[in-house]
């Protein structure tokens, strides 16, 4: 009986387009990052449809406002430092509401989550370094100060495991955005205590954080207290948003709308 041999040379080898596969994987990662950020915003009760379009690529300057360029430059430098591992400082934007502070923070968060940055290096108590487990923790996490406070202090939370997991993310996330610091007067003392616990840990373990508040500089010092403010001020870059344009101003809205229509893309809108 004659045995037929399989001629492998006659079979064309499959051609794998590694570049296309890599591009699809990157696109999928960016989509997952965007979905994570949307979930974070909704969970925090701070979801605003306009914020979905936040991104450095959609930034638009209003009436030649130079403070906008300064804010954008600070945010981009902060992102660059995180991605290159040069430092792990804190960035704090303070000042009037509706000036786009959250927009800059989310621009950093989206770019960071979509990046191919290697795992963050964490310094352990014995002085050695190890990689953060990015499969266990979100690379970037957004929350409000009030929500963070509830996660750490509210013992009536129905799902204890969920509360514990989210509270751990506040500590362990590679990049943490905390918005609306001190917004609720009724919970300011609890907030301050919770923030000290979170930020003291993150500063000690070299994890970067982006903080946002509507306080003035003097109000900020009063809210944080000397101990926490000195801890933050020692590692933070502070930006006063008082000279940024009011993005809810009708004239600014009309200008941005006209520019969006003219350019055919989404610009920075009301925050």
């Amino acid at each position: 009986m004659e045995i037929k041999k399989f001629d492998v040379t006659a079979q064309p080898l499959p051609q794998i387009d590694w570049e296309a596969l890599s591009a699809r994987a990157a696109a999928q990662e960016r989509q997952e990052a965007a979905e994570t950020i949307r979930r974070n915003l909704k969970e925090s009760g701070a979801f605003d449809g306009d914020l979905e379009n936040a991104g450095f690529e959609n930034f638009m300057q209003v009436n030649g406002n130079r403070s906008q360029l300064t804010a954008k430059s600070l945010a981009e430098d902060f992102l660059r430092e995180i991605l290159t591992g040069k430092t792990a400082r804190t960035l704090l934007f303070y000042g009037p509401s509706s000036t786009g502070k959250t927009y800059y923070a989310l621009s950093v968060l989206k770019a960071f989550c979509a990046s191919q940055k290697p795992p963050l290096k964490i310094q352990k108590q014995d002085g050695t370094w190890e990689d953060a487990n990015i499969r266990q923790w979100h690379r970037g996490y957004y929350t409000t100060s009030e929500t963070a406070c509830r996660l750490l202090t509210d013992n009536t939370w129905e799902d204890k495991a969920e509360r514990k997991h989210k509270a751990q993310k506040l500590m362990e996330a590679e990049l943490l955005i905390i918005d609306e610091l001190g917004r609720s007067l009724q919970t300011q003392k609890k907030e301050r205590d919770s923030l000290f616990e979170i930020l003291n840990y993150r500063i000690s373990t070299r994890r970067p954080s982006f903080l946002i508040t509507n306080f003035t500089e003097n109000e900020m010092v009063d809210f944080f207290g000397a101990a926490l403010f000195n801890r933050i001020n020692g590692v933070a870059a502070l930006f006063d948003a008082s000279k940024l344009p009011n993005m809810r101003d009708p004239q600014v809205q009309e200008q941005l709308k006209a520019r969006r229509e003219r350019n055919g893309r989404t610009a920075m809108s009301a925050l």
Side-chain angles (χ1 to χ4, degrees):
M1 178 179 179
E2 182 180 358
I3 299 176
K4 294 184 178 179
K5 295 182 179 180
F6 184 72
D7 186 1
V8 294
T9 60
Q11 302 298 319
L13 295 176
Q15 297 297 313
I16 300 176
D17 189 340
W18 295 108
E19 186 174 340
L21 284 176
S22 178
R24 284 199 294 272
Q28 182 178 355
E29 184 171 342
R30 285 192 297 271
Q31 179 64 28
E32 291 174 353
E35 290 298 329
T36 295
I37 292 169
R38 274 194 285 272
R39 286 197 301 271
N40 292 167
L41 289 169
K42 289 179 180 178
E43 289 171 3
S44 301
F47 183 76
D48 185 331
D50 290 322
L51 293 177
E52 287 193 72
N53 298 316
F56 292 120
E57 69 280 4
N58 292 329
F59 171 83
M60 280 191 177
Q61 191 179 13
V62 176
N63 295 327
N65 186 288
R66 297 187 64 82
S67 288
Q68 283 184 284
L69 298 181
T70 301
K72 180 173 180 283
S73 178
L74 274 172
E76 288 176 327
D77 287 346
F78 179 62
L79 172 65
R80 193 175 299 112
E81 288 169 357
I82 298 171
L83 295 178
T84 57
K86 288 183 178 180
T87 185
R89 64 175 173 169
T90 299
L91 191 57
L92 196 162
F93 277 26
Y94 67 95
S97 62
S98 304
T99 52
K101 298 186 298 294
T102 301
Y103 185 99
Y104 296 105
L106 288 181
S107 296
V108 171
L109 182 62
K110 286 184 176 183
F112 175 76
C113 288
S115 73
Q116 299 294 324
K117 176 186 174 293
L120 179 70
K121 294 291 184 181
I122 303 301
Q123 188 171 23
K124 298 191 294 185
Q125 291 184 345
D126 61 5
T128 60
W129 295 78
E130 66 178 359
D131 290 343
N133 186 351
I134 62 173
R135 290 170 297 181
Q136 184 176 359
W137 312 111
H138 283 299
R139 300 192 65 183
Y141 191 68
Y142 171 95
T143 187
T144 63
S145 184
E146 187 175 6
T147 300
C149 175
R150 284 188 58 232
L151 287 171
L152 295 184
T153 62
D154 186 0
N155 292 320
T156 64
W157 196 283
E158 290 185 5
D159 191 331
K160 304 296 183 183
E162 179 188 21
R163 175 198 169 195
K164 180 180 179 181
H165 179 64
K166 290 182 178 180
Q168 285 177 312
K169 283 192 287 189
L170 297 175
M171 303 292 188
E172 305 289 349
E174 286 197 60
L175 170 62
L176 178 66
I177 310 290
I178 306 182
D179 203 349
E180 300 179 350
L181 297 179
R183 180 176 182 178
S184 175
L185 295 176
Q186 292 78 14
T187 61
Q188 280 192 2
K189 185 182 184 305
K190 281 187 176 181
E191 272 191 57
R192 183 166 56 245
D193 294 342
S194 298
L195 286 170
F196 186 88
E197 181 180 352
I198 295 167
L199 296 176
N200 189 56
Y201 177 82
R202 292 186 62 82
I203 291 170
S204 299
T205 55
R206 296 176 55 82
R207 286 173 166 84
S209 306
F210 196 137
L211 311 178
I212 307 160
T213 180
N214 293 339
F215 286 142
T216 64
E217 187 171 355
N218 289 334
E219 289 171 338
M220 193 165 51
V221 174
D222 291 340
F223 167 70
F224 284 123
L228 180 54
F229 184 76
N230 289 337
R231 188 79 167 107
I232 294 172
N233 198 34
V235 296
L238 276 62
F239 175 74
D240 182 357
S242 62
K243 293 183 180 180
L244 292 174
N246 183 344
M247 306 307 293
R248 292 195 183 276
D249 183 285
Q251 291 184 348
V252 173
Q253 288 281 297
E254 285 300 317
Q255 180 182 344
L256 292 177
K257 180 181 179 181
R259 200 177 301 178
R260 285 197 299 269
E261 293 173 351
R262 184 169 63 250
N263 294 352
R265 63 185 178 86
T266 304
M268 184 168 76
S269 52
L271 302 182

